[in-house]
Amino acid sequence: MKLVPIALFILIVIIQTSECSQNWFPQNLVTTIRKETSLIKDYVKEKGRNIKQFYIDNVRNKITSYLGLQRQESEDEDSSSRFKRKFKDYIEDAQAKDYMVFDSIAPEVHKYPCSKDDPTIEMTTPQLIAFYGYQSESHTIVTEDGYILTMHRIPHTRNTTDLRPYRKTVLLHHGLLGSSADWVVTGPNKALAFILSDAGYDVWLANARGNTYSKAHVSKKIDTYSFWNFTFHEISQYDLPAIIDYIMQNKGWDVKINYIGHSMGTTVLFALLSTKTQYNKVLRAGYALAPVAYMSHVRSPIRLLAKFSDNIAYLMKLLGANEFLPHNAVLRWLSKHACEINHYEEAICENSMFVLCGHDDKQFNKTLLPLILGHVPAGASTKTLVHYAQEIRNAGRFQQFDYGPEVNFVTYGMPTPPEYNLSRITLPIALLSADNDWLAGAEDVNKLYVRLKNPLERYVVPYKDFNHIDFLWAIDAPKLLYNKLLQLLDDGIVTSNVDLVSSNEIN
Ligand SMILES: *[C@@H]1O[C@H](CO)[C@@H](O)[C@H](O)[C@H]1NC(C)=O
Ligand SMILES: *[C@@H]1O[C@H](CO)[C@@H](O)[C@H](O)[C@H]1NC(C)=O
Ligand SMILES: *[C@@H]1O[C@H](CO)[C@@H](O)[C@H](O)[C@H]1NC(C)=O
Ligand SMILES: *[C@@H]1O[C@H](CO)[C@@H](O)[C@H](O)[C@H]1NC(C)=O
């Protein structure tokens, strides 16, 4: 049936484009057919649109009917669990069809319309720091395994006459898909890096391997698996020690570094302190924003991958083996449906950082969106995401990458990966979390807190909707969070000595 209009259409096109059509074909018929042509063109066009719409509706109906069954049970089920079921359904379908199906309904990639009048949008971290009137430095270091990292630094605050770097030192470490830019994009009086600088700290901003500023290696090419063959474990074992040692070389071995991490920036700290335990004595204290170690109660869509995390080959195929790319079709699919539920702006929906970490409309300053989208996602390896997905599946275990029993045996000498032994952490640590955090919920943070030998504080942001990335960019972050953090940093000077003494006594 469908062939009839198409064949007719082709015939008419042939007639119309044929140079001598006027000569051999009766004129009145040509006129009639011309009229028909536009009808048929419309028909085909319409049909085309309908076919696509039909396809989309089909998928949607399937999901809706699936939801319909569940809706009776829990009317007020939250969007993330609805989303979870949607994804489960979809991914099983995709698995059956060998995953190509993702590409077929993923929307086109949209570019957020950036205002060219705003010069900050395309600025790098050091440029942004300088733009806001602070002194900006870049430091390049090479890790033991050959990754080339760039650190950024604000040695002292603006408008000061004393140009020596401040003695008080703080190291900020970004989270998954983040970079040093995370700490500066919102500008003076808002961004943590500037607030700390104004408070008299020498501020160092780390960039983990694989992100915008640390995408280089002494011998490995960045488009090889060999380059991207790392997770947060390698960041904790090679990047962090190199960064901390470098700061100590730069400022003197007696420098006491305050470590502030966000998200993965906290995971790498816990992994470091429980393996290379000498860093418990080197650092002054740790301040974990949205701390991620145990992941039993994660609500981020990343948990939807957990089910497949024992099939590493499949996940790598699904997500791309090397870099976790922002425009990955799976992600586009995920975000499209997350956004249908939540009515977020398209640009937010297409960004892997927002998709994985959530978005809090009320605390998000939309003016900053183009600037933020210019900086995140800053790059991460797919293997890191798989590692996190494994943490979710192995509920209750915070451990190294799981290669499966056979390869584990070769790699670790035992069938299961070694756990990070958190009882070896003696550094005084404060946990600052939020109950609506998709990645670091109250239960998981509590579990972590009771295992710390020297807990400084367990602070919960007093704002119901505060989410994972609000720790960086919330409009009220200074009021809700950074004031408390500054106070803890000050307090620590007094209490950490006591804590160190008591931890020595225990040892
Ligand atoms: C710092 O100096 C700049 C100009 O040099 C000025 O615009 C700004 O208000 C000053 N900021 C402070 C905190 O004094
Ligand atoms: C990836 O890293 C692991 C652990 O460091 C190593 O055992 C393995 O050989 C690496 N694979 C490749 C292809 O580089
Ligand atoms: C949002 O960001 C813009 C640009 O930095 C700033 O001018 C404005 O004051 C911010 N709005 C709020 C509510 O913080
Ligand atoms: C963890 O570390 C503590 C302190 O060093 C030690 O006593 C304990 O045996 C370790 N646990 C495991 C499972 O290795």
Side-chain angles (χ1 to χ4, degrees):
M1 282 302 288
K2 257 186 259 168
L3 286 179
V4 177
I6 292 169
L8 207 58
F9 175 71
I10 291 168
L11 175 70
I12 288 158
V13 170
I14 291 168
I15 292 169
Q16 282 194 321
T17 53
S18 152
E19 280 172 28
C20 50
S21 64
Q22 311 287 325
N23 301 332
W24 62 269
F25 217 75
Q27 196 55 44
N28 59 340
L29 205 59
V30 171
T31 318
T32 314
I33 290 175
R34 277 232 173 98
K35 232 183 274 161
E36 287 292 312
T37 310
S38 59
L39 284 177
I40 292 167
K41 265 186 190 160
D42 287 349
Y43 175 79
V44 172
K45 229 166 99 188
E46 174 85 10
K47 195 77 184 164
R49 207 185 296 139
N50 278 345
I51 288 167
K52 198 172 159 196
Q53 195 56 46
F54 173 75
Y55 183 57
I56 292 169
D57 285 347
N58 231 7
V59 176
R60 195 174 287 149
N61 284 344
K62 209 165 97 190
I63 290 164
T64 322
S65 64
Y66 191 77
L67 292 182
L69 288 174
Q70 304 277 328
R71 205 172 283 145
Q72 284 142 357
E73 290 171 19
S74 60
E75 198 66 295
D76 58 345
E77 127 187 270
D78 63 14
S79 59
S80 72
S81 57
R82 236 178 306 157
F83 183 44
K84 178 184 158 194
R85 272 184 293 99
K86 277 185 163 197
F87 183 84
K88 184 168 157 284
D89 206 22
Y90 195 79
I91 204 166
E92 272 160 11
D93 213 34
Q95 204 172 23
K97 292 178 185 150
D98 198 19
Y99 113 101
M100 285 310 290
V101 67
F102 280 110
D103 287 322
S104 60
I105 68 160
E108 302 294 307
V109 177
H110 296 275
K111 283 224 153 57
Y112 192 83
C114 294
S115 152
K116 282 287 166 214
D117 303 333
D118 184 350
T120 60
I121 287 167
E122 288 175 1
M123 284 185 184
T124 60
T125 304
Q127 286 171 329
L128 277 170
I129 295 170
F131 176 81
Y132 288 125
Y134 291 76
Q135 188 175 335
S136 164
E137 291 180 7
S138 292
H139 297 257
T140 301
I141 54 178
V142 181
T143 66
E144 205 185 299
D145 58 346
Y147 286 81
I148 302 168
L149 314 177
T150 300
M151 261 195 292
H152 298 128
R153 181 191 191 188
I154 311 171
H156 52 71
T157 192
R158 59 181 170 179
N159 304 354
T160 171
T161 48
D162 183 358
L163 297 182
R164 284 174 304 178
Y166 291 134
R167 190 64 200 155
K168 289 197 287 180
T169 306
V170 62
L171 168 61
L172 302 187
H173 201 296
H174 62 81
L176 185 66
L177 296 164
S179 74
S180 54
D182 295 357
W183 306 106
V184 300
V185 283
T186 51
N189 303 320
K190 301 253 177 196
L192 184 57
F194 297 125
I195 289 176
L196 287 167
S197 180
D198 295 342
Y201 286 89
D202 176 11
V203 182
W204 293 78
L205 309 167
N207 283 297
R209 58 183 61 193
N211 91 5
T212 314
Y213 303 104
S214 297
K215 208 176 277 188
H217 190 275
V218 291
S219 60
K220 294 173 180 173
K221 288 213 173 74
I222 63 161
D223 57 355
T224 59
Y225 178 67
S226 171
F227 179 88
W228 293 101
N229 181 18
F230 64 83
T231 82
F232 59 74
H233 180 74
E234 282 72 25
I235 295 172
S236 77
Q237 300 301 295
Y238 301 108
D239 295 8
L240 265 192
I243 288 167
I244 293 168
D245 293 355
Y246 181 87
I247 296 174
M248 289 200 298
Q249 270 166 25
N250 183 286
K251 297 197 70 174
W253 294 99
D254 57 335
V255 68
K256 280 289 181 187
I257 302 168
N258 293 286
Y259 183 102
I260 299 177
H262 173 241
S263 176
M264 188 188 74
T266 69
T267 315
V268 295
L269 177 69
F270 302 135
L272 171 78
L273 297 176
S274 61
T275 50
K276 297 182 185 288
T277 50
Q278 67 272 29
Y279 287 96
N280 285 294
K281 298 277 179 279
V282 166
L283 298 174
R284 177 174 168 274
Y287 303 87
L289 311 182
V292 181
Y294 295 111
M295 300 181 77
S296 312
H297 296 85
V298 166
R299 284 183 285 152
S300 157
I302 195 178
R303 73 164 301 138
L304 307 171
L305 301 172
K307 188 180 156 200
F308 305 96
S309 63
D310 54 349
N311 190 346
I312 298 163
Y314 176 69
L315 264 189
M316 291 286 192
K317 193 177 167 197
L318 203 64
L319 302 173
N322 296 348
E323 180 168 8
F324 179 67
L325 283 173
H327 295 310
N328 186 291
V330 179
L331 190 74
R332 269 185 274 143
W333 186 87
L334 273 175
S335 57
K336 181 169 181 278
H337 291 277
C339 290
E340 274 177 12
I341 296 168
N342 297 307
H343 309 292
Y344 293 152
E345 265 184 69
E346 198 153 37
I348 288 173
C349 301
E350 303 221 328
N351 190 292
S352 50
M353 179 95 128
F354 292 109
V355 171
L356 295 178
C357 300
H359 174 68
D360 169 10
D361 232 15
K362 283 187 251 37
Q363 282 292 321
F364 191 73
N365 183 347
K366 291 213 170 53
T367 317
L368 294 167
L369 187 59
L371 177 59
I372 288 171
L373 292 179
H375 284 96
V376 301
S381 71
T382 293
K383 197 175 173 186
T384 307
L385 263 97
V386 175
H387 195 170
Y388 273 122
Q390 291 180 351
E391 301 288 320
I392 296 166
R393 189 200 51 191
N394 305 323
R397 281 172 70 90
F398 175 42
Q399 64 183 19
Q400 293 187 37
F401 195 83
D402 189 350
Y403 293 96
E406 282 153 43
V407 182
N408 283 343
F409 214 88
V410 178
T411 312
Y412 308 117
M414 48 189 193
T416 54
E419 272 190 79
Y420 297 105
N421 185 348
L422 294 183
S423 57
R424 299 176 75 188
I425 300 179
T426 55
L427 186 74
I429 288 178
L431 303 183
L432 298 97
S433 69
D435 286 341
N436 186 44
D437 192 329
W438 283 10
L439 281 156
E443 298 92 337
D444 289 332
V445 177
N446 284 337
K447 184 173 171 188
L448 172 63
Y449 190 69
V450 298
R451 279 167 175 72
L452 295 175
K453 279 247 174 78
N454 275 304
L456 278 182
E457 172 92 25
R458 163 102 172 79
Y459 177 74
V460 179
V461 176
Y463 180 83
K464 183 172 70 66
D465 293 326
F466 213 78
N467 206 331
H468 203 65
I469 54 176
D470 285 333
F471 286 84
L472 302 172
W473 306 317
I475 290 167
D476 295 323
K479 196 174 74 194
L480 294 168
L481 179 68
Y482 301 157
N483 285 347
K484 178 71 186 180
L485 186 56
L486 286 176
Q487 182 209 318
L488 286 172
L489 280 161
D490 271 350
D491 283 354
I493 297 166
V494 183
T495 60
S496 75
N497 288 333
V498 177
D499 284 333
L500 282 174
V501 170
S502 65
S503 80
N504 285 336
E505 279 166 2
I506 290 164
N507 292 345

